Amino acid sequence: MSTSSAAPSTASSTALPGGTWSLGDLTVTRFGYGAMQLAGPGVMGPPADHDGALAVLREAVDLGITHIDTAGAYGPRVTNRLIREALHPFPASLHIVTKVGAERDGQGGWPPARRPEQLRRAVHENLEDLGLDALDVVNLRLGDAQGPRPGSLAEPFEALAELRRQGLIRHLGVSNATAEQVAEARDIAPIVSVQNLYNLAHRHDDDLIDDLAAEGIAYVPFFPLGGFTPLQSSALTAVATRLDATPMSVALAWLLRRSPNILLIPGTSSVAHLRENITGAGLTLSDEDVTELDKIGT
């Protein structure tokens, strides 16, 4: 395995839009990178362009990104191994956030895997595939492909809390969770992040984001352009056209401005697109722009 590109980056994270945030005792850039798209079609199997996938990961670190989001279910076990091949031994500044709580089936589905023994196995597989002794942050994935589902997370989250006490996990978070599940998790063990669907068109977590910000807990939205109606997409495109920007740029810039605890993890399998996303997220929005964009979600 080549590690010639794994030397700590000299790029300054201050050049990335949004600055930094603390996940517990870990400082990460608010602009991160989501590795899901590095796997094959349907997030199954290896990438069509193996070397291209490695290049994207190395470029992310070279550009100063210190927050990479991944999961053992991506591939499955594909993106974690790509991350290790591209970047191991990891720079001290780089922090990898992973998820457990779902597996893949032969049809490409995401069946839940939240029994304690399944979570223990998933954590050990993540450690093995990434080449680590401890995972920086592990999010418990809840709900299903349609979104969060109510119900107690006590049994699976307590299992992860025990792995944290054993030193295999540094910090915990939850993903695809209701506000009630976030509160329940915090009663069991400290959390540093919540990862949910949220964007200009889906504002259901507005109150949760503000509450988490007051507590110093990160909120990590996925699908920045997911679930828009045609009318909402048209409204976003109109603003983007006026600003001579892409809809994705406007959506990312709005998220960074929405709250200081929001961390971005846009994914791509292209170096050029990675750079475009970084440039786009740095777009300056006026108060008038924000007022117009806020109407999309209402």
Side-chain angles (χ1 to χ4, degrees):
M1 181 184 301
S2 173
T3 57
S4 60
S5 298
S9 171
T10 58
S12 171
S13 63
T14 58
L16 293 169
T20 60
W21 182 264
S22 295
L23 297 172
D25 60 348
L26 310 176
T27 299
V28 298
T29 49
R30 289 183 64 207
F31 191 100
Y33 172 72
M36 185 173 73
Q37 293 187 30
L38 294 184
V43 202
M44 291 289 283
D49 183 357
H50 180 89
D51 290 345
L54 301 182
V56 171
L57 288 162
R58 290 168 179 157
E59 181 71 5
V61 172
D62 286 343
L63 290 171
I65 289 172
T66 63
H67 172 202
I68 293 180
D69 180 84
T70 184
Y74 297 165
R77 303 185 73 171
V78 168
T79 62
N80 281 351
R81 291 171 176 173
L82 289 169
I83 291 168
R84 178 176 183 173
E85 181 178 355
L87 301 173
H88 198 275
F90 301 119
S93 62
L94 180 63
H95 302 297
I96 298 171
V97 177
T98 190
K99 285 180 291 296
V100 295
E103 296 178 337
R104 305 305 303 278
D105 59 28
Q107 293 71 48
W110 302 79
R114 295 191 283 267
R115 296 194 305 274
E117 65 272 19
Q118 292 175 307
L119 296 173
R120 286 191 289 270
R121 181 174 68 247
V123 165
H124 282 283
E125 287 177 352
N126 274 270
L127 290 167
E128 176 186 347
D129 292 342
L130 290 166
L132 293 170
D133 296 322
L135 300 170
D136 283 337
V137 182
V138 175
N139 288 317
L140 174 62
R141 185 185 188 275
L142 299 162
D144 55 31
Q146 282 67 53
R149 292 290 180 264
S152 174
L153 53 61
E155 183 181 38
F157 203 73
E158 285 169 356
L160 291 182
E162 175 57 30
L163 293 172
R164 177 176 174 267
R165 286 189 288 269
Q166 294 173 14
L168 299 179
I169 300 170
R170 291 191 175 91
H171 300 289
L172 296 173
V174 291
S175 177
N176 208 28
T178 66
E180 292 75 18
Q181 289 166 337
V182 172
E184 184 182 15
R186 296 185 65 195
D187 284 341
I188 295 170
I191 67 170
V192 298
S193 64
V194 174
Q195 188 178 110
N196 277 0
L197 169 63
Y198 179 83
N199 55 40
L200 273 164
H202 292 269
R203 304 286 299 274
H204 50 279
D205 272 355
D206 271 335
D207 291 342
L208 177 61
I209 289 170
D210 294 338
D211 291 343
L212 294 174
E215 298 295 331
I217 297 171
Y219 185 93
V220 187
F222 54 79
F223 297 141
L225 290 180
F228 279 58
T229 67
L231 185 62
Q232 290 167 330
S233 294
S234 297
L236 175 58
T237 298
V239 174
T241 300
R242 187 181 72 243
L243 297 176
D244 192 25
T246 66
M248 176 63 92
S249 296
V250 175
L252 294 176
W254 179 86
L255 284 168
L256 279 182
R257 175 159 168 161
R258 166 64 183 81
S259 183
N261 66 323
I262 286 183
L263 312 184
L264 304 183
I265 51 167
T268 179
S269 58
S270 158
V271 167
H273 190 208
L274 171 66
R275 293 173 180 158
E276 290 170 6
N277 282 342
I278 292 173
T279 300
L283 178 70
T284 298
L285 301 175
S286 69
D287 292 342
E288 291 76 14
D289 295 330
V290 173
T291 297
E292 185 171 351
L293 291 168
D294 283 345
K295 295 177 183 176
I296 293 174
T298 57

